[in-house]
Amino acid sequence: MIVVESKEKHSQRIANCIAEEIKLRQKFDQHLVLGLATGSTPIPLYNELVRLHTEENLSFRNVYTFNLDEYCGLEDNHPKSYHDFMYFHLFNRIDIPRENIFIPSGQIEPLFERDYCEGYEQTIKDLGGIDIQILGIGRSGHIGFNEPGSSVDSITRKVKLHDITRRDAASDFGGFDNVPTHAITMGMNTILSANRIFFMAFGEAKQEITKRAFCGEITDDVPASHLQRHKKTTICTDFDIT
Ligand code: F6R
């Protein structure tokens, strides 16, 4: 499903959908598993979720979250880490239990990376899988940090970042050379196993790659194009791709 609207409208709609699902699960004493993205795209959504919590008493006590990715080599409290981003924009402002929050660690010794990533996958499975996944897209066509060439079967793993991705992050890190070269990311298979996906892309810079992802051929060269085969993805943009 493709919807063209302002990013604020999209964020409200998605936040309302998440809130309804959280409340429904609360009625039956069940939990909800959210897959979360970082970056500029989901910030209005996180602001709206925070508003629902502070002004409308939405509780996140029955919510578990799994973040898509983290830069390798950054401590959790590094100001550019995705840990820091998530606590700043969302987790410190809502009542989610700390033990329900999962973000890949950027601090795993190479020897233990594989076990660590398999453990991340297993924890998602043990909680019943991801109910709602939030996604942005990079100009390389990545979702999470699944860069071009990522196989549809890939699971959580360490990856090398594409130069476009590192260039886009250069201003955050004070120069291209300071941007981490690797990251841990959920895989394509992990993402595509989510029951429902909200894909968001806003602004002119995302128009061309979003069009390639949804109107072009399905190919590992544009990892986001595999979303065309997902059974329940809503494409939320502020531009027309048809
Ligand atoms: C981040 C992530 C990435 C971003 C993408 C877009 O957790 O998974 O795929 O969604 O790089 O980033 P922004 O929103 O900053 O343009």
Side-chain angles (χ1 to χ4, degrees), residues 29-44:
D29 215 11
Q30 292 173 351
H31 65 255
L32 183 76
V33 180
L34 294 178
L36 299 179
T38 56
S40 58
T41 307
I43 291 177

Side-chain angles (χ1 to χ4, degrees), residues 4 9 30 35 48 83 90-91 112 132 139-140 144 149 161 163 169 176 189 211 226 237:
V4 182
K9 272 261 155 46
Q30 292 173 351
E48 181 59 15
H83 280 75
L90 187 64
F91 300 144
F112 303 115
I132 300 177
R139 288 189 313 121
S140 65
L161 295 175
D163 273 2
F176 178 84
N189 179 269
K211 202 171 172 137
H226 288 291
T237 59

Side-chain angles (χ1 to χ4, degrees), residues 36-42 68-69 82 135-138 142-145 206:
L36 299 179
T38 56
S40 58
T41 307
L68 284 164
D69 39 24
Y82 286 165
L135 289 181
I137 186 169
H142 71 213
I143 48 177
F145 273 144
K206 298 295 175 71

Side-chain angles (χ1 to χ4, degrees), residues 1 194-198 227 229-234:
M1 182 164 78
N195 280 329
R196 172 144 208 203
I197 295 177
F198 287 102
L227 292 168
R229 291 223 173 91
H230 186 263
K231 60 189 184 312
K232 209 170 179 191
T233 291
T234 308

Side-chain angles (χ1 to χ4, degrees), residues 16-107:
N16 286 340
C17 172
I18 291 173
E20 287 314 309
E21 206 55 43
I22 291 175
K23 287 188 263 185
L24 186 68
R25 305 282 171 119
Q26 282 166 355
K27 265 195 201 149
F28 296 101
D29 215 11
Q30 292 173 351
H31 65 255
L32 183 76
V33 180
L34 294 178
L36 299 179
T38 56
S40 58
T41 307
I43 291 177
L45 167 64
Y46 297 153
N47 287 340
E48 181 59 15
L49 290 173
V50 170
R51 194 196 66 75
L52 289 172
H53 171 65
T54 50
E55 293 178 19
E56 298 187 22
N57 289 326
L58 176 67
S59 173
F60 289 79
R61 297 209 68 78
N62 65 326
V63 174
Y64 287 83
T65 62
F66 287 87
N67 264 84
L68 284 164
D69 39 24
E70 179 59 283
Y71 291 111
C72 287
L74 299 194
E75 307 255 359
D76 293 358
N77 62 3
H78 186 287
K80 295 299 168 196
S81 76
Y82 286 165
H83 280 75
D84 190 78
F85 176 100
M86 287 308 302
Y87 278 88
F88 178 79
H89 287 287
L90 187 64
F91 300 144
N92 283 339
R93 301 158 73 195
I94 57 175
D95 65 342
I96 185 168
R98 291 297 177 257
E99 62 274 21
N100 291 12
I101 297 169
F102 296 90
I103 308 176
S105 170
Q107 289 281 293

